[in-house]
mmCIF file of all heavy atoms in Angstrom:
data_model
loop_
_atom_site.group_PDB
_atom_site.id
_atom_site.type_symbol
_atom_site.label_atom_id
_atom_site.label_comp_id
_atom_site.label_asym_id
_atom_site.label_seq_id
_atom_site.Cartn_x
_atom_site.Cartn_y
_atom_site.Cartn_z
ATOM 1 N N LYS A 343 7.536 -11.966 -14.819
ATOM 2 C CA LYS A 343 8.200 -11.814 -16.099
ATOM 3 C C LYS A 343 7.322 -11.052 -17.031
ATOM 4 O O LYS A 343 6.108 -10.999 -16.841
ATOM 5 C CB LYS A 343 8.547 -13.192 -16.646
ATOM 6 C CG LYS A 343 9.521 -13.974 -15.779
ATOM 7 C CD LYS A 343 9.764 -15.384 -16.324
ATOM 8 C CE LYS A 343 10.716 -16.149 -15.435
ATOM 9 N NZ LYS A 343 10.963 -17.555 -15.938
ATOM 10 N N MET A 344 7.923 -10.471 -18.069
ATOM 11 C CA MET A 344 7.213 -9.553 -18.944
ATOM 12 C C MET A 344 5.974 -10.230 -19.547
ATOM 13 O O MET A 344 4.885 -9.615 -19.569
ATOM 14 C CB MET A 344 8.142 -9.033 -20.064
ATOM 15 C CG MET A 344 7.474 -8.044 -20.967
ATOM 16 S SD MET A 344 8.597 -7.522 -22.270
ATOM 17 C CE MET A 344 8.753 -9.089 -23.157
ATOM 18 N N HIS A 345 6.111 -11.448 -20.042
ATOM 19 C CA HIS A 345 4.961 -12.086 -20.743
ATOM 20 C C HIS A 345 3.865 -12.448 -19.763
ATOM 21 O O HIS A 345 2.757 -12.795 -20.211
ATOM 22 C CB HIS A 345 5.470 -13.358 -21.445
ATOM 23 C CG HIS A 345 5.871 -14.469 -20.551
ATOM 24 N ND1 HIS A 345 7.132 -14.590 -20.007
ATOM 25 C CD2 HIS A 345 5.165 -15.526 -20.027
ATOM 26 C CE1 HIS A 345 7.186 -15.673 -19.227
ATOM 27 N NE2 HIS A 345 5.991 -16.252 -19.225
ATOM 28 N N GLU A 346 4.090 -12.370 -18.467
ATOM 29 C CA GLU A 346 3.089 -12.723 -17.491
ATOM 30 C C GLU A 346 2.143 -11.583 -17.165
ATOM 31 O O GLU A 346 1.131 -11.762 -16.540
ATOM 32 C CB GLU A 346 3.731 -13.242 -16.203
ATOM 33 C CG GLU A 346 4.481 -14.564 -16.402
ATOM 34 C CD GLU A 346 5.183 -15.004 -15.133
ATOM 35 O OE1 GLU A 346 5.837 -14.156 -14.471
ATOM 36 O OE2 GLU A 346 5.152 -16.218 -14.861
ATOM 37 N N TYR A 347 2.471 -10.361 -17.607
ATOM 38 C CA TYR A 347 1.586 -9.271 -17.325
ATOM 39 C C TYR A 347 1.292 -8.386 -18.585
ATOM 40 O O TYR A 347 0.531 -7.430 -18.530
ATOM 41 C CB TYR A 347 2.107 -8.370 -16.226
ATOM 42 C CG TYR A 347 3.421 -7.711 -16.433
ATOM 43 C CD1 TYR A 347 3.538 -6.535 -17.191
ATOM 44 C CD2 TYR A 347 4.606 -8.265 -15.954
ATOM 45 C CE1 TYR A 347 4.767 -5.904 -17.404
ATOM 46 C CE2 TYR A 347 5.828 -7.654 -16.151
ATOM 47 C CZ TYR A 347 5.915 -6.516 -16.889
ATOM 48 O OH TYR A 347 7.141 -5.927 -17.074
ATOM 49 N N GLN A 348 1.928 -8.678 -19.720
ATOM 50 C CA GLN A 348 1.684 -7.954 -20.945
ATOM 51 C C GLN A 348 0.920 -8.823 -21.944
ATOM 52 O O GLN A 348 1.355 -9.953 -22.215
ATOM 53 C CB GLN A 348 2.996 -7.469 -21.563
ATOM 54 C CG GLN A 348 3.663 -6.346 -20.787
ATOM 55 C CD GLN A 348 4.826 -5.721 -21.551
ATOM 56 O OE1 GLN A 348 5.201 -6.182 -22.625
ATOM 57 N NE2 GLN A 348 5.352 -4.670 -20.973
ATOM 58 N N GLY A 349 -0.203 -8.320 -22.420
ATOM 59 C CA GLY A 349 -1.016 -9.079 -23.340
ATOM 60 C C GLY A 349 -2.443 -9.234 -22.751
ATOM 61 O O GLY A 349 -2.980 -8.272 -22.181
ATOM 62 N N GLY A 350 -3.049 -10.363 -22.917
ATOM 63 C CA GLY A 350 -4.405 -10.563 -22.420
ATOM 64 C C GLY A 350 -5.415 -10.102 -23.462
ATOM 65 O O GLY A 350 -5.162 -9.189 -24.240
ATOM 66 N N THR A 351 -6.566 -10.773 -23.482
ATOM 67 C CA THR A 351 -7.619 -10.401 -24.426
ATOM 68 C C THR A 351 -8.725 -9.586 -23.749
ATOM 69 O O THR A 351 -9.482 -8.919 -24.437
ATOM 70 C CB THR A 351 -8.219 -11.621 -25.095
ATOM 71 O OG1 THR A 351 -8.892 -12.423 -24.116
ATOM 72 C CG2 THR A 351 -7.132 -12.508 -25.717
ATOM 73 N N ALA A 352 -8.861 -9.683 -22.412
ATOM 74 C CA ALA A 352 -9.825 -8.912 -21.655
ATOM 75 C C ALA A 352 -9.381 -8.836 -20.209
ATOM 76 O O ALA A 352 -8.505 -9.683 -19.819
ATOM 77 C CB ALA A 352 -11.250 -9.484 -21.806
ATOM 78 N N SER A 353 -9.965 -7.982 -19.394
ATOM 79 C CA SER A 353 -9.545 -7.855 -18.019
ATOM 80 C C SER A 353 -10.731 -8.011 -17.084
ATOM 81 O O SER A 353 -11.902 -7.866 -17.468
ATOM 82 C CB SER A 353 -8.876 -6.476 -17.767
ATOM 83 O OG SER A 353 -7.679 -6.332 -18.478
ATOM 84 N N ILE A 354 -10.381 -8.337 -15.800
ATOM 85 C CA ILE A 354 -11.402 -8.333 -14.752
ATOM 86 C C ILE A 354 -10.834 -7.647 -13.520
ATOM 87 O O ILE A 354 -9.627 -7.789 -13.188
ATOM 88 C CB ILE A 354 -11.827 -9.798 -14.396
ATOM 89 C CG1 ILE A 354 -12.978 -9.808 -13.401
ATOM 90 C CG2 ILE A 354 -10.623 -10.616 -13.872
ATOM 91 C CD1 ILE A 354 -13.575 -11.185 -13.227
ATOM 92 N N SER A 355 -11.671 -6.824 -12.884
ATOM 93 C CA SER A 355 -11.231 -6.079 -11.666
ATOM 94 C C SER A 355 -12.287 -6.259 -10.621
ATOM 95 O O SER A 355 -13.474 -5.935 -10.825
ATOM 96 C CB SER A 355 -11.060 -4.592 -12.010
ATOM 97 O OG SER A 355 -10.673 -3.895 -10.832
ATOM 98 N N ASN A 356 -11.902 -6.841 -9.489
ATOM 99 C CA ASN A 356 -12.865 -7.181 -8.446
ATOM 100 C C ASN A 356 -12.545 -6.307 -7.218
ATOM 101 O O ASN A 356 -11.480 -6.422 -6.602
ATOM 102 C CB ASN A 356 -12.746 -8.649 -8.062
ATOM 103 C CG ASN A 356 -13.852 -9.136 -7.132
ATOM 104 O OD1 ASN A 356 -14.495 -8.343 -6.463
ATOM 105 N ND2 ASN A 356 -14.091 -10.405 -7.126
ATOM 106 N N MET A 357 -13.540 -5.463 -6.835
ATOM 107 C CA MET A 357 -13.378 -4.633 -5.650
ATOM 108 C C MET A 357 -14.397 -4.972 -4.589
ATOM 109 O O MET A 357 -14.665 -4.227 -3.645
ATOM 110 C CB MET A 357 -13.495 -3.146 -6.027
ATOM 111 C CG MET A 357 -12.397 -2.693 -6.978
ATOM 112 S SD MET A 357 -12.458 -0.910 -7.345
ATOM 113 C CE MET A 357 -11.858 -0.223 -5.801
ATOM 114 N N GLY A 358 -14.995 -6.165 -4.752
ATOM 115 C CA GLY A 358 -16.023 -6.613 -3.825
ATOM 116 C C GLY A 358 -15.490 -6.784 -2.405
ATOM 117 O O GLY A 358 -16.188 -6.588 -1.408
ATOM 118 N N MET A 359 -14.202 -7.173 -2.278
ATOM 119 C CA MET A 359 -13.638 -7.396 -0.942
ATOM 120 C C MET A 359 -13.552 -6.136 -0.123
ATOM 121 O O MET A 359 -13.359 -6.147 1.081
ATOM 122 C CB MET A 359 -12.231 -8.041 -1.054
ATOM 123 C CG MET A 359 -11.158 -7.170 -1.662
ATOM 124 S SD MET A 359 -11.301 -6.981 -3.467
ATOM 125 C CE MET A 359 -10.988 -8.631 -4.017
ATOM 126 N N PHE A 360 -13.679 -4.973 -0.795
ATOM 127 C CA PHE A 360 -13.667 -3.687 -0.107
ATOM 128 C C PHE A 360 -15.076 -3.165 0.208
ATOM 129 O O PHE A 360 -15.299 -2.066 0.662
ATOM 130 C CB PHE A 360 -12.942 -2.628 -0.887
ATOM 131 C CG PHE A 360 -11.473 -2.986 -1.163
ATOM 132 C CD1 PHE A 360 -11.077 -3.331 -2.462
ATOM 133 C CD2 PHE A 360 -10.571 -3.000 -0.154
ATOM 134 C CE1 PHE A 360 -9.760 -3.634 -2.725
ATOM 135 C CE2 PHE A 360 -9.257 -3.308 -0.402
ATOM 136 C CZ PHE A 360 -8.853 -3.683 -1.679
ATOM 137 N N GLY A 361 -16.102 -3.974 -0.162
ATOM 138 C CA GLY A 361 -17.477 -3.616 0.058
ATOM 139 C C GLY A 361 -18.042 -2.664 -0.999
ATOM 140 O O GLY A 361 -19.110 -2.124 -0.827
ATOM 141 N N ILE A 362 -17.319 -2.516 -2.094
ATOM 142 C CA ILE A 362 -17.779 -1.644 -3.182
ATOM 143 C C ILE A 362 -18.964 -2.321 -3.927
ATOM 144 O O ILE A 362 -18.792 -3.467 -4.402
ATOM 145 C CB ILE A 362 -16.657 -1.325 -4.189
ATOM 146 C CG1 ILE A 362 -15.486 -0.646 -3.453
ATOM 147 C CG2 ILE A 362 -17.150 -0.452 -5.313
ATOM 148 C CD1 ILE A 362 -15.847 0.652 -2.764
ATOM 149 N N LYS A 363 -20.095 -1.669 -4.008
ATOM 150 C CA LYS A 363 -21.269 -2.265 -4.612
ATOM 151 C C LYS A 363 -21.145 -2.387 -6.124
ATOM 152 O O LYS A 363 -21.416 -3.427 -6.720
ATOM 153 C CB LYS A 363 -22.488 -1.468 -4.219
ATOM 154 C CG LYS A 363 -23.815 -2.065 -4.719
ATOM 155 C CD LYS A 363 -25.002 -1.244 -4.207
ATOM 156 C CE LYS A 363 -26.325 -1.850 -4.692
ATOM 157 N NZ LYS A 363 -27.459 -1.037 -4.243
ATOM 158 N N ASN A 364 -20.735 -1.307 -6.782
ATOM 159 C CA ASN A 364 -20.517 -1.354 -8.237
ATOM 160 C C ASN A 364 -19.641 -0.175 -8.637
ATOM 161 O O ASN A 364 -19.562 0.842 -7.932
ATOM 162 C CB ASN A 364 -21.845 -1.314 -9.023
ATOM 163 C CG ASN A 364 -22.600 -0.011 -8.854
ATOM 164 O OD1 ASN A 364 -23.318 0.140 -7.878
ATOM 165 N ND2 ASN A 364 -22.412 0.887 -9.796
ATOM 166 N N PHE A 365 -18.944 -0.306 -9.744
ATOM 167 C CA PHE A 365 -18.066 0.744 -10.286
ATOM 168 C C PHE A 365 -17.823 0.521 -11.746
ATOM 169 O O PHE A 365 -18.119 -0.528 -12.298
ATOM 170 C CB PHE A 365 -16.721 0.782 -9.488
ATOM 171 C CG PHE A 365 -15.837 -0.431 -9.746
ATOM 172 C CD1 PHE A 365 -14.747 -0.407 -10.568
ATOM 173 C CD2 PHE A 365 -16.128 -1.635 -9.019
ATOM 174 C CE1 PHE A 365 -13.926 -1.514 -10.762
ATOM 175 C CE2 PHE A 365 -15.296 -2.757 -9.223
ATOM 176 C CZ PHE A 365 -14.219 -2.702 -10.064
ATOM 177 N N ASP A 366 -17.332 1.578 -12.414
ATOM 178 C CA ASP A 366 -17.018 1.489 -13.853
ATOM 179 C C ASP A 366 -15.476 1.469 -13.966
ATOM 180 O O ASP A 366 -14.796 2.379 -13.544
ATOM 181 C CB ASP A 366 -17.555 2.705 -14.597
ATOM 182 C CG ASP A 366 -19.057 2.824 -14.504
ATOM 183 O OD1 ASP A 366 -19.729 1.754 -14.323
ATOM 184 O OD2 ASP A 366 -19.583 3.946 -14.555
ATOM 185 N N ALA A 367 -14.968 0.390 -14.575
ATOM 186 C CA ALA A 367 -13.530 0.260 -14.733
ATOM 187 C C ALA A 367 -13.087 0.871 -16.060
ATOM 188 O O ALA A 367 -13.866 0.925 -17.009
ATOM 189 C CB ALA A 367 -13.129 -1.213 -14.658
ATOM 190 N N VAL A 368 -11.830 1.318 -16.100
ATOM 191 C CA VAL A 368 -11.255 1.879 -17.299
ATOM 192 C C VAL A 368 -10.594 0.757 -18.156
ATOM 193 O O VAL A 368 -9.858 -0.070 -17.575
ATOM 194 C CB VAL A 368 -10.186 2.952 -16.956
ATOM 195 C CG1 VAL A 368 -9.608 3.545 -18.212
ATOM 196 C CG2 VAL A 368 -10.772 4.054 -16.058
ATOM 197 N N ILE A 369 -10.885 0.744 -19.389
ATOM 198 C CA ILE A 369 -10.373 -0.289 -20.314
ATOM 199 C C ILE A 369 -8.856 -0.216 -20.370
ATOM 200 O O ILE A 369 -8.256 0.870 -20.383
ATOM 201 C CB ILE A 369 -10.985 -0.128 -21.717
ATOM 202 C CG1 ILE A 369 -12.489 -0.415 -21.642
ATOM 203 C CG2 ILE A 369 -10.327 -1.051 -22.728
ATOM 204 C CD1 ILE A 369 -13.250 -0.020 -22.919
ATOM 205 N N ASN A 370 -8.212 -1.378 -20.425
ATOM 206 C CA ASN A 370 -6.790 -1.498 -20.445
ATOM 207 C C ASN A 370 -6.357 -1.692 -21.907
ATOM 208 O O ASN A 370 -6.348 -2.855 -22.402
ATOM 209 C CB ASN A 370 -6.357 -2.691 -19.603
ATOM 210 C CG ASN A 370 -4.836 -2.884 -19.573
ATOM 211 O OD1 ASN A 370 -4.088 -1.946 -19.777
ATOM 212 N ND2 ASN A 370 -4.386 -4.140 -19.328
ATOM 213 N N PRO A 371 -5.981 -0.637 -22.668
ATOM 214 C CA PRO A 371 -5.669 -0.823 -24.090
ATOM 215 C C PRO A 371 -4.414 -1.668 -24.261
ATOM 216 O O PRO A 371 -3.538 -1.727 -23.381
ATOM 217 C CB PRO A 371 -5.383 0.614 -24.556
ATOM 218 C CG PRO A 371 -5.000 1.373 -23.341
ATOM 219 C CD PRO A 371 -5.778 0.754 -22.213
ATOM 220 N N PRO A 372 -4.342 -2.478 -25.339
ATOM 221 C CA PRO A 372 -5.247 -2.461 -26.543
ATOM 222 C C PRO A 372 -6.463 -3.358 -26.382
ATOM 223 O O PRO A 372 -7.119 -3.658 -27.388
ATOM 224 C CB PRO A 372 -4.307 -2.987 -27.616
ATOM 225 C CG PRO A 372 -3.400 -3.955 -26.915
ATOM 226 C CD PRO A 372 -3.154 -3.368 -25.568
ATOM 227 N N GLN A 373 -6.751 -3.884 -25.187
ATOM 228 C CA GLN A 373 -7.951 -4.666 -24.972
ATOM 229 C C GLN A 373 -9.219 -3.821 -25.245
ATOM 230 O O GLN A 373 -9.130 -2.593 -25.263
ATOM 231 C CB GLN A 373 -7.994 -5.219 -23.553
ATOM 232 C CG GLN A 373 -6.854 -6.195 -23.230
ATOM 233 C CD GLN A 373 -6.823 -6.610 -21.803
ATOM 234 O OE1 GLN A 373 -7.747 -6.299 -21.017
ATOM 235 N NE2 GLN A 373 -5.807 -7.343 -21.404
ATOM 236 N N ALA A 374 -10.330 -4.524 -25.419
ATOM 237 C CA ALA A 374 -11.562 -3.797 -25.781
ATOM 238 C C ALA A 374 -12.636 -3.925 -24.707
ATOM 239 O O ALA A 374 -13.758 -3.398 -24.914
ATOM 240 C CB ALA A 374 -12.119 -4.282 -27.110
ATOM 241 N N MET A 375 -12.354 -4.653 -23.618
ATOM 242 C CA MET A 375 -13.391 -4.732 -22.534
ATOM 243 C C MET A 375 -12.729 -5.087 -21.224
ATOM 244 O O MET A 375 -11.666 -5.695 -21.184
ATOM 245 C CB MET A 375 -14.495 -5.699 -22.897
ATOM 246 C CG MET A 375 -14.202 -7.214 -22.736
ATOM 247 S SD MET A 375 -14.440 -7.870 -21.057
ATOM 248 C CE MET A 375 -16.117 -7.359 -20.693
ATOM 249 N N ILE A 376 -13.424 -4.692 -20.145
ATOM 250 C CA ILE A 376 -13.020 -5.067 -18.783
ATOM 251 C C ILE A 376 -14.284 -5.267 -17.973
ATOM 252 O O ILE A 376 -15.238 -4.532 -18.150
ATOM 253 C CB ILE A 376 -12.113 -4.008 -18.171
ATOM 254 C CG1 ILE A 376 -11.647 -4.415 -16.760
ATOM 255 C CG2 ILE A 376 -12.721 -2.638 -18.146
ATOM 256 C CD1 ILE A 376 -10.578 -3.493 -16.131
ATOM 257 N N MET A 377 -14.249 -6.273 -17.084
ATOM 258 C CA MET A 377 -15.389 -6.602 -16.257
ATOM 259 C C MET A 377 -15.123 -6.089 -14.842
ATOM 260 O O MET A 377 -14.061 -6.424 -14.224
ATOM 261 C CB MET A 377 -15.624 -8.107 -16.199
ATOM 262 C CG MET A 377 -16.855 -8.523 -15.489
ATOM 263 S SD MET A 377 -18.381 -8.259 -16.504
ATOM 264 C CE MET A 377 -18.176 -9.593 -17.706
ATOM 265 N N ALA A 378 -15.973 -5.250 -14.308
ATOM 266 C CA ALA A 378 -15.873 -4.687 -12.941
ATOM 267 C C ALA A 378 -16.828 -5.394 -12.036
ATOM 268 O O ALA A 378 -18.042 -5.413 -12.287
ATOM 269 C CB ALA A 378 -16.142 -3.202 -12.963
ATOM 270 N N ILE A 379 -16.279 -6.036 -10.973
ATOM 271 C CA ILE A 379 -17.084 -6.888 -10.084
ATOM 272 C C ILE A 379 -17.263 -6.202 -8.710
ATOM 273 O O ILE A 379 -16.293 -5.747 -8.075
ATOM 274 C CB ILE A 379 -16.371 -8.209 -9.871
ATOM 275 C CG1 ILE A 379 -16.143 -8.934 -11.195
ATOM 276 C CG2 ILE A 379 -17.196 -9.097 -8.890
ATOM 277 C CD1 ILE A 379 -17.386 -9.307 -11.945
ATOM 278 N N GLY A 380 -18.528 -6.071 -8.297
ATOM 279 C CA GLY A 380 -18.832 -5.485 -6.968
ATOM 280 C C GLY A 380 -19.034 -6.571 -5.928
ATOM 281 O O GLY A 380 -18.892 -7.774 -6.177
#
Side-chain angles (χ1 to χ4, degrees):
K343 297 178 182 177
M344 183 183 65
H345 69 274
E346 293 176 318
Y347 61 83
Q348 289 191 353
T351 65
S353 295
I354 187 169
S355 179
N356 190 340
M357 298 184 72
M359 67 286 294
F360 300 111
I362 302 301
K363 184 177 179 180
N364 65 277
F365 66 103
D366 299 333
V368 180
I369 294 170
N370 181 27
Q373 296 174 7
M375 76 86 53
I376 181 171
M377 188 77 72
I379 303 297

